[in-house]
Amino acid sequence: MLLSVPYGATTNYVSVYVAQAGVAVQPGLFFVLLALGMGASRIVAGRYVDRGLLIRCIAVGFYLVVAAFVLLGLCGPLASSHKEWAVAAFVAAGALQGVGFGMMFPAFNTLFVRLAPHNRRATAVGTYLTSWDVGIGIGIAAAGAVAHGSSFSTVYLCGGIMALVSMAVFLGIAAPHFRKNALDD
């Protein structure tokens, strides 16, 4: 759920952020790259997930998403002095978020399913999707409050920190738990 908090902030406020920061780019480009990255990476990640490389897919996705949030957070400060770098960071952030989240979504779903007994798998998927939606809602509300008191740049840099914390919890707690307790199909 922690990972979906900055995702919610991004999907809801990235257009406002670009306009306020003065980044010379159409905000819709971010969403196009996000969608293309998700679509392309799901094809590749699905193959790795089928081979049982869930932890690796999720870890690579985390690295990409952390980088994306940091780049997105830097767009505002870069826009005032290096407009072309701000545009490049914005474009890269959209693509990296798409690829990163696209790798993680199917892998996380499979992870949840493989931890549940056959008669509880629908509940596992429902729990996963509900936690994702709750995080998005929290991200939308929290990002508005943080941006009002600080800036959207701060929101996205904090999103990078949240993604790092989420990655640490996943790699330190969830991944070992999965390796020990996963049920075979």
Side-chain angles (χ1 to χ4, degrees), residues 6-165:
Y7 180 83
T10 304
T11 58
N12 201 57
Y13 293 112
V14 77
S15 297
V16 176
Y17 174 47
V18 169
Q20 283 184 354
V23 180
V25 66
Q26 289 294 324
L29 179 61
F30 183 90
F31 296 106
V32 168
L33 294 170
L34 182 76
L36 290 173
M38 279 187 182
S41 65
R42 283 186 181 204
I43 294 167
V44 174
R47 292 182 185 145
Y48 287 111
V49 167
D50 290 344
R51 290 188 216 152
L53 300 172
L54 298 168
I55 305 299
R56 185 172 297 161
C57 277
I58 293 170
V60 169
F62 266 121
Y63 288 118
L64 297 174
V65 166
V66 168
F69 283 119
V70 171
L71 285 171
L72 197 54
L74 293 175
C75 286
L78 286 171
S80 61
S81 59
H82 299 88
K83 291 195 182 293
E84 62 282 344
W85 286 100
V87 170
F90 182 78
V91 167
L96 289 174
Q97 267 195 33
V99 172
F101 282 120
M103 291 182 76
M104 287 190 283
F105 284 145
F108 270 129
N109 190 54
T110 302
L111 183 135
F112 271 66
V113 167
R114 293 217 23 232
L115 284 170
H118 287 283
N119 65 335
R120 305 287 298 176
R121 288 189 169 179
T123 303
V125 172
T127 301
Y128 166 57
L129 295 175
T130 299
S131 68
W132 186 257
D133 288 344
V134 168
I136 289 172
I138 292 169
I140 291 168
V146 170
H148 182 71
S150 181
S151 69
F152 281 112
S153 191
T154 301
V155 167
Y156 297 121
L157 291 173
C158 289
I161 293 168
M162 292 176 81
L164 269 175
V165 170

